């Protein structure tokens, strides 16, 4: 952990720091608002033509490690005439003080007011961050509704996975970018730069029109939504002749050309992840039907083993982190993962640098990987995600993992020194029954039995973690009905009883779960249309903040807001959540093109109901999901046949600070 510098940093000319600093002793974790981290950049305001404020709409401890924001921050700050600074959601204690003392939403880098920037980019990993967006907009002194903003206000651009259906926040954002951000932010920057150089012709409207004409930036104000008498959408159409009917996602190819982050941010305050993270590939073609990330990030694009090695070396030397996270949606699927792990383990042999695969498929983890991941004596946590408890439900969701696969995998981990693994499942999946969920208990019991038998030790544990299923746009389950919270909670109660029915095994099994209520609200926001924006606003006005945190989330607040707002449109909360859609219904995001063919998604939904499994198209012939031809992309995988080298020999390697044992 870095120690804050005692050397005073110069205060930027337009900084709110003199007003903010006296408030910090009155709040919890004040250091999260101070800035000055290793890797942070503060550029001269007047030398920049284009100025971005980048936000991850959650607390500093969650937002700072976010890979997407860190990459965009670095890419933009490499441009000589562009500056980018970061802002995060402030906790309610500081928000109250800021309002009382007239301190606006600020960046942590130079404590400049967010409203002074040209562009306000917000990256959403989850829809439960929407109320934090409204809080930040209001604190910044920016009009809440995009329609009320003037040329003096920044252009608010949404990104991240939730931006693939930005309709619930269409009233509050000026634009949304679908897909990869690296090239998109450079294009947006260039458009703004040129518009400024020409003297800002046509004002804000002309700037937004130029963004919309790229066909890869969605500007909601240029689209009208018509509804049928029963509440369904009739059509979404442009209201200007020079705006495209469909907006396409961005796909960054050749990840080796984008080796970011080169200089990772090292937090001053404690954060949820403190490691150097390398995205070893992007995309997934396993075809898990519930997984929006896997669907919208297609095709698979691998980073080469040599680039990964160089990024790790540079990142560790810069940051002093002791853990390397090899990130992707399923890291063990990289075609050279074995050589990658063995090469990195060899390179950092004799140090306390450890490797982790935060996302590991049950059927891709093997003894060689286990040995390399534990080579330096440090064993990071292992999480496996069977997702469904029964063989039948795993066929429905296309998670092709058998119970034998799971037992074999966890035994491999236990016999290689791990004493605890985490198993992740979902509850509320389409066609699910009580018996599907209760099989999770049988699986957990078998894991403990097998682990004890393989190691001869009773010091074996596993944690069963349950999340609620949320149907997501651009997946085969986008038509599915959600299960009611009381049904989910009833199944979880039965599962807990079943786990503890055998006391000898049950005491070795941890049980963590999210109840059904937050999932239902996430479902409302995930598949909502523009009418849901009024619910979000009402919840925010009633004090809604940090809805992704159980201690701040209020189901009652959301239910009451929905009951007050939605009937005026002839719909209700159930209409958006527990209702199954039919094939011909116009979905709120149909005009936003992820590359996936809607007919293919519908057929995969029918295959799910028939419990038919779909293969991974990396290793089998194309099954026409539509992405590669539509997006003019292709699967990019190895093996390259190369190793991690050339890297500095370990005896001459400049090890990260504190890495020597």
């Amino acid at each position: 952990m870095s120690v804050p510098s005692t050397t005073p940093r110069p205060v930027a000319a337009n900084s709110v720091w003199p007003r903010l600093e006296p408030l910090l002793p009155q709040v919890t974790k004040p250091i999260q608002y101070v800035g000055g981290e290793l890797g942070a950049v503060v550029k001269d305001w007047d030398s920049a033509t284009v100025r971005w404020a980048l936000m991850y709409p959650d607390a500093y401890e969650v937002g700072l490690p976010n890979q997407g924001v860190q990459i965009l921050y670095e890419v933009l700050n490499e441009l000589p005439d562009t500056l980018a600074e970061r802002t995060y959601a402030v906790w309610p204690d500081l928000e109250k003080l800021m309002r009382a003392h007239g301190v606006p939403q600020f960046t942590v880098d130079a404590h400049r007011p967010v409203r002074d920037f040209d562009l306000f980019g917000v990256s959403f990993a989850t829809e439960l961050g929407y109320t934090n967006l409204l809080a930040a907009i209001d604190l910044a002194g920016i009009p809440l509704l995009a329609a009320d903003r003037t040329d003096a206000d920044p252009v608010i651009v949404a990104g991240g996975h939730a931006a693939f259906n930005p309709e619930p926040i269409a009233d509050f954002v000026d634009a949304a970018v679908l897909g990869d951000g690296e090239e998109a932010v450079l294009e947006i920057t260039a458009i703004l730069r040129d518009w400024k150089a020409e003297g800002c012709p046509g004002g804000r409207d002309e700037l937004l029109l130029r963004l919309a004409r790229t066909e890869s930036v969605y500007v909601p104000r240029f689209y009208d939504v018509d509804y049928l008498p029963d509440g369904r959408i009739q059509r979404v159409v442009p209201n200007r002749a020079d705006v495209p009917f469909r907006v396409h996602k961005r796909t960054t190819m050749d990840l080796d050309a984008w080796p970011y982050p080169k200089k990772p941010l090292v937090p001053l305050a404690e954060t949820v992840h403190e490691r150097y993270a390398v995205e070893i590939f992007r995309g997934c073609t396993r075809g898990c039907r519930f997984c929006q990330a896997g669907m919208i990030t297609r095709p698979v694009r691998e980073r080469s083993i040599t680039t990964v090695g160089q990024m790790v070396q540079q990142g560790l030397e810069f940051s002093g982190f002791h853990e390397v996270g090899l990130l992707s949606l399923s890291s063990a699927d990289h075609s050279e993962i074995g050589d990658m792990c063995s090469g990195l383990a060899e390179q950092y042999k004799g140090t306390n640098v450890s490797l982790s695969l935060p996302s590991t498929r049950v059927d891709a983890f093997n003894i060689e990987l286990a040995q390399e991941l534990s080579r330096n004596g440090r064993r990071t946590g292992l999480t496996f995600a069977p997702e469904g408890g029964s063989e039948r439900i795993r066929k429905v969701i296309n998670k092709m993992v058998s119970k034998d696969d799971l037992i074999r995998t966890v035994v491999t981990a236990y016999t290689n020194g791990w004493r605890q693994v985490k198993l992740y499942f979902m509850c509320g999946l389409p066609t699910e029954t009580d018996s599907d969920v209760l099989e999770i208990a049988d699986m957990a019991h078998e894991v403990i039995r097998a682990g004890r038998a393989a190691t001869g030790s009773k010091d074996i544990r596993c944690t069963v973690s349950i999340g609620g299923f949320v149907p997501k746009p651009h997946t085969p389950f986008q038509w599915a009905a959600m299960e009611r919270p009381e049904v989910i909670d009833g199944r979880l109660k039965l599962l807990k009883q079943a786990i503890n029915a055998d006391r000898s095994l049950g005491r070795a099994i941890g049980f963590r779960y999210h109840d059904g209520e937050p999932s239902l609200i996430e479902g409302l926001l995930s598949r909502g249309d523009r009418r849901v924006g009024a619910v979000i606003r009402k919840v925010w006005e009633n004090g809604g903040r940090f809805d992704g945190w159980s201690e701040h989330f209020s189901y009652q607040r959301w239910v009451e807001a929905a009951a007050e707002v939605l009937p005026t449109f002839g719909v209700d909360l159930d209409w958006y959540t527990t209702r199954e859609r039919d094939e011909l219904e116009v979905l709120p995001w149909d005009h936003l093109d992820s590359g996936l063919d809607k007919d293919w998604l519908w057929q995969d939904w029918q295959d799910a109901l028939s419990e038919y499994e779909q293969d991974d198209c990396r290793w089998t012939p194309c099954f026409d999901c539509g992405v590669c031809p539509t997006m003019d992309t292709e699967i990019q995988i190895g093996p390259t046949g190369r190793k991690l080298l050339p890297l500095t020999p370990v005896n001459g390697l400049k090890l990260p600070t504190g890495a020597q044992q």
Side-chain angles (χ1 to χ4, degrees), residues 206-475:
E206 170 64 20
L207 174 60
L208 292 172
L209 186 59
R210 293 186 185 191
L211 294 175
R213 286 179 185 144
T214 65
E215 300 189 8
S216 62
V217 178
Y218 175 53
V219 180
R221 73 162 66 183
F222 295 145
Y223 294 81
D224 293 333
V225 183
D226 298 326
Y227 300 96
L228 295 166
D230 63 3
R232 291 177 300 149
I233 294 173
Q234 182 178 29
R235 62 177 187 168
V236 180
V237 292
N239 53 34
R240 301 182 58 134
D242 46 359
V243 171
F245 272 84
R246 282 171 69 79
V247 179
H248 310 293
K249 78 169 182 180
R250 299 293 300 246
T251 304
T252 298
M253 304 300 292
D254 187 15
L255 295 186
D256 284 355
W258 300 88
Y260 297 93
K262 302 171 185 174
K263 297 179 178 180
L265 290 160
V266 180
L268 296 179
E270 185 178 2
T271 59
V272 292
H273 298 300
E274 295 181 11
R275 64 190 178 199
Y276 178 62
V278 180
E279 187 181 26
I280 61 175
F281 72 85
R282 197 171 290 181
C284 183
T285 47
R286 287 281 190 168
C288 300
R289 294 177 172 121
F290 59 84
C291 182
Q292 184 190 48
M295 293 288 172
I296 63 177
T297 59
R298 294 181 177 204
V300 170
R301 290 147 285 150
E302 287 188 353
R303 201 164 247 141
S304 72
I305 186 172
T306 49
T307 298
V308 170
Q310 289 158 0
M311 288 177 68
V312 169
Q313 182 183 37
Q314 183 176 356
L316 289 183
E317 288 180 359
F318 178 82
S319 68
F321 284 129
H322 295 159
E323 181 182 337
V324 176
L326 303 178
L327 305 189
S328 74
L329 292 174
S330 181
S331 296
D333 281 341
H334 192 289
S335 62
E336 296 179 304
I337 190 65
D339 285 341
M340 190 180 294
C341 287
S342 62
L344 289 170
E346 184 66 28
Q347 191 68 27
Y348 296 101
K349 182 171 62 177
T351 76
N352 64 356
V353 172
S354 63
L355 300 178
S356 66
L357 299 184
S359 175
T360 311
R361 279 184 63 93
V362 169
D363 53 351
F365 187 82
N366 54 50
I367 192 166
E368 289 81 14
L369 271 182
Q371 290 171 343
E372 298 302 352
L373 291 174
S374 60
R375 175 96 76 94
N376 290 344
R378 295 182 66 207
R379 296 178 180 86
T380 55
L382 280 181
T383 300
F384 301 106
E387 310 286 0
S390 69
E391 197 86 21
R392 186 196 72 81
I393 203 71
R394 288 194 293 274
K395 288 182 179 180
V396 171
I397 65 178
N398 205 47
K399 191 80 175 187
M400 294 177 283
V401 173
S402 70
K403 186 176 181 179
D404 289 343
D405 287 333
L406 177 69
I407 302 303
R408 187 182 314 112
T409 297
V410 295
V411 165
T412 297
Y414 287 141
T415 54
N416 278 273
W418 276 272
R419 288 295 172 262
Q420 175 150 348
V421 298
K422 180 179 175 183
L423 305 178
Y424 180 80
F425 300 88
M426 283 189 290
C427 188
L429 291 161
T431 79
E432 180 185 274
T433 65
D434 290 359
S435 62
D436 291 314
V437 176
L438 289 174
E439 285 198 42
I440 295 172
D442 296 335
M443 189 179 285
H445 287 162
E446 191 61 36
V447 162
I448 298 300
R449 287 194 198 96
R452 288 175 176 176
T455 63
S457 169
K458 286 203 169 184
D459 183 26
I460 294 294
R461 291 189 57 80
C462 82
T463 298
V464 170
S465 181
I466 312 285
F469 165 68
V470 179
K472 294 287 187 176
H474 307 282
T475 72

Side-chain angles (χ1 to χ4, degrees), residues 309-310 313 317 347-348 644-654:
Q310 289 158 0
Q313 182 183 37
E317 288 180 359
Q347 191 68 27
Y348 296 101
L644 278 165
L645 299 176
L647 289 179
T648 310
V650 74
N651 59 5
L653 180 65
K654 178 187 175 186

Side-chain angles (χ1 to χ4, degrees), residues 12 53 87 167 184 255 267 275 343 450 536 555:
T87 187
E167 291 301 276
L255 295 186
R275 64 190 178 199
I536 299 170
Y555 182 64

